[in-house]
Amino acid sequence: MVRETSLSPDNFIYPLFVTFGKNVRREIKSMPGCYQESVDMVTKHAKEVFSLGIPAVILFGIPEQKDEIGSGAFDPHGEVQKAIRAIKNKVPDLYVITDVCMCEYTSHGHCGIVKDSDVQNDPTLELLAKEAVSHAQAGADMVAPSDMMDNRVETIRLALDEEGFPEIPIMSYAAKYSSAFYGPFREAAESTPLFGDRRTYQMDPANRREALKEVALDIEEGADIVMVKPAMTYLDIISDVKESFEVPVAAYNVSGEYSCIKAAAKLGWIDEERAMMELLISIKRAGADLILSYFAKDAVRLLNK
Ligand code: PBG
């Protein structure tokens, strides 16, 4: 009766990794229970996610070919575009969000176009807009830019409006920190940068006020939902953003947070279910309305018990 916070299946967004090929379901070594899946398999998986009561998924793509400008990102026959169409066809009521970024598609693994070893902000914007539009054309319900280029939300908003998708909302990775906790994801998405790191475009973990500035800019540019990422080590940021703005707040319980708990549990060093639920409720308590989490299925199974 007096419990202040509760988790519901409605709070979750489950990440899925789409790869090329057929009948592929490859477990990601550093993320037990998570898979790279071809379109046919990911569609089945999406059905399972929806049947558990999870309302939404977010799709990441692993293309067969990568190039300098990440052209696979806006290929109408790319794996993500195919997966969107297949999922919307087979599981029409599942809400399909797409991650909009270049790092999974570029040969160098950076989130934008590179010149002289530096990521070029402005030339990247046009490509991100093309990617977002191509996801919308395939039937995505919402796009989520995660690249951290300046001005990308406005560029994507204008492009979606122009191309006839004024109703497609944007969930921006607004306060995205440069984090070691993305390590396992980079194995999953095969997107580890070949040189350098993402510190020139992702945020410094030491900065708190800067997060509010990043979020304010994204809202001004048209973001409908703002995200804080990672979650576990940035609960103060989630709380600040929730207090300061009126839009829904999402938090990304990232790969490293998942893998740490899974690994400790495997060694018998921690109670997996309790640690998972404590982590998720703390993210909710901090102020997140939505939680992107690899734990979503496990947590919802427990909640449904
Ligand atoms: C792409 C992207 C990343 C994650 C989500 N989108 C990786 C990165 O920025 O390096 C990380 C998600 C996770 O660790 O679970 N830019």
Side-chain angles (χ1 to χ4, degrees), residues 24-179:
V24 179
R25 188 164 207 249
R26 211 178 299 121
E27 189 164 27
I28 299 154
K29 263 197 237 104
S30 53
M31 299 172 69
C34 296
Y35 302 85
Q36 296 178 334
E37 295 171 297
S38 51
V39 171
D40 51 333
M41 300 304 274
V42 92
T43 307
K44 283 185 199 153
H45 198 169
K47 201 165 194 174
E48 180 206 340
V49 172
F50 187 66
S51 69
L52 285 168
I54 298 169
V57 290
I58 181 163
L59 303 181
F60 296 91
I62 303 140
E64 191 163 7
Q65 308 255 355
K66 305 193 184 211
D67 61 28
E68 280 284 306
I69 63 158
S71 49
F74 41 85
D75 176 358
H77 305 292
E79 303 312 322
V80 165
Q81 286 81 351
K82 282 194 271 189
I84 299 165
R85 286 191 287 265
I87 294 171
K88 290 312 292 186
N89 180 28
K90 290 271 159 53
V91 207
D93 292 332
L94 180 66
Y95 196 80
V96 176
I97 307 167
T98 57
D99 184 83
V100 173
C101 193
M102 305 309 296
C103 64
E104 299 124 69
Y105 303 95
T106 50
S107 42
H108 44 71
H110 276 288
C111 301
I113 294 184
V114 168
K115 200 175 150 206
D116 304 328
S117 303
D118 256 332
V119 173
Q120 308 291 304
N121 192 92
D122 293 5
T124 300
L125 298 177
E126 194 190 319
L127 301 181
L128 292 167
K130 272 170 86 168
E131 182 180 8
V133 167
S134 104
H135 291 169
Q137 283 167 340
D141 295 301
M142 178 156 77
V143 294
S146 71
D147 51 282
M148 286 300 274
M149 298 301 124
D150 288 341
N151 214 40
R152 90 265 204 223
V153 175
E154 185 180 24
T155 310
I156 290 172
R157 181 71 274 155
L158 290 172
L160 287 172
D161 290 355
E162 242 163 56
E163 297 295 328
F165 300 103
E167 77 285 6
I168 299 291
I170 299 175
M171 172 167 71
S172 78
Y173 289 65
K176 178 173 177 181
Y177 287 87
S178 174
S179 172

Side-chain angles (χ1 to χ4, degrees), residues 66 103-104 106-111 114 119 178 182-183 185-187 189-199 201-202:
K66 305 193 184 211
C103 64
E104 299 124 69
T106 50
S107 42
H108 44 71
H110 276 288
C111 301
V114 168
V119 173
S178 174
Y182 304 151
F185 173 94
R186 292 181 186 168
E187 181 203 324
E190 301 174 11
S191 66
T192 309
L194 284 186
F195 57 86
D197 53 48
R198 303 205 205 292
R199 270 181 255 183
Y201 43 102
Q202 297 183 350

Side-chain angles (χ1 to χ4, degrees), residues 4 63 69 101 167 199 213 244 246 254:
E4 297 173 27
I69 63 158
C101 193
E167 77 285 6
R199 270 181 255 183
K213 184 186 123 191
S244 310
E246 266 82 55
V254 301

